[in-house]
Amino acid sequence: DKSVIYLENATYNDMKFAINRISEIAKAFSGDASIIVYYSGHGIPNEATGEGFLLPVDGYGTDTSTALSISELYKTISDLPIKKATMFMDACFSGAKRDGGMLVAARGVAIKAKAAAPKGKIVVLSAATEDQTAYPYEEKQHGLMTYFLLKKIQSTQGKVNIGELFNYVETNVKRNSIIENGKLQTPVSAVSPVLANSWKELTIW
């Protein structure tokens, strides 16, 4: 439990504090730490640049300066002395909500966000492509990605490599998004160049 930083309904300052805390811990372990980041919530795009942001509970969907930049998050993590960082993003960055509506009422269409490129030793598994919505699995009271992510980790007791985990999540989310919500949702991976040839064999922990 002491290794977990858990935030529910996080504000912008909560997010910044947690990232700083992770940075301090990673530096104290001098290269021996592995980081897991899990985020479930809303993402928004900068309409001018397409850059993706994580929207805190006190942020505004019309103002990305009140949200956390994905590219800045990647840079902060990539600069740390760590074994690796695995990031799970059950969110979309098109400005759409899970119920099919839009975070900004005046905007009637989703925007295709520009995917940030991770560097360092980072593997990112995201719930959907840049212009898709990350849908819920109402029956299970989870996001689609989160449900199948947890199901695979639980069934294998965490003894699964990231490649197998991603393939399982991708297959099941694609199939169930059509059945449950009538629209396609396709999880995607993004990997830093350093891990491009080895990420599928890595474990989470």
Side-chain angles (χ1 to χ4, degrees):
D1 289 346
K2 292 181 180 179
S3 297
V4 177
I5 299 173
Y6 174 74
L7 299 176
E8 186 172 350
N9 295 324
T11 66
Y12 181 80
N13 283 335
D14 288 337
M15 290 181 172
K16 296 290 286 186
F17 175 82
I19 294 168
N20 289 338
R21 179 71 175 147
I22 290 170
S23 299
E24 291 173 355
I25 293 171
K27 291 171 184 176
F29 277 78
S30 304
D32 288 332
S34 292
I35 296 172
I36 300 171
V37 175
Y38 167 80
Y39 175 82
S40 178
H42 291 304
I44 57 172
N46 181 300
E47 295 189 31
T49 66
E51 182 183 356
F53 291 77
L54 303 181
L55 185 65
V57 294
D58 59 346
Y60 294 88
T62 55
D63 185 355
T64 55
S65 70
T66 65
L68 184 69
S69 163
I70 288 290
S71 60
E72 289 184 14
L73 174 61
Y74 287 175
K75 184 180 187 310
T76 299
I77 299 297
S78 69
D79 287 342
L80 297 176
I82 55 174
K83 289 182 178 179
K84 66 178 180 300
T86 310
M87 307 179 76
F88 302 105
M89 298 289 183
D90 193 353
C92 59
F93 299 92
S94 61
K97 297 191 292 185
R98 290 188 190 276
D99 63 6
M102 301 300 296
L103 285 169
V104 181
R107 186 170 66 217
V109 297
I111 293 175
K112 185 171 184 177
K114 181 173 64 177
K119 299 179 181 179
K121 299 178 180 179
I122 300 177
V123 177
V124 183
L125 304 184
S126 298
T129 62
E130 293 87 351
D131 57 352
Q132 291 179 338
T133 299
Y135 288 105
Y137 196 168
E138 296 288 0
E139 178 185 346
K140 305 297 183 180
Q141 297 185 326
H142 273 302
L144 272 172
M145 175 187 170
T146 294
Y147 176 75
F148 289 106
L149 175 70
L150 295 178
K151 185 175 182 180
K152 186 64 172 179
I153 292 174
Q154 184 180 48
S155 68
T156 60
Q157 296 183 322
K159 297 177 182 178
V160 58
N161 63 44
I162 297 176
E164 292 171 352
L165 180 62
F166 174 71
N167 288 339
Y168 176 85
V169 171
E170 180 190 32
T171 298
N172 284 280
V173 168
K174 285 172 67 176
R175 292 175 179 176
N176 283 274
S177 63
I178 289 292
I179 294 171
E180 296 292 329
N181 300 296
K183 295 184 179 180
L184 184 63
Q185 177 182 331
T186 307
V188 293
S189 62
V191 186
S192 60
V194 173
L195 300 178
N197 297 322
S198 62
W199 71 274
K200 292 184 178 181
E201 303 305 318
L202 296 175
T203 56
I204 302 172
W205 324 116

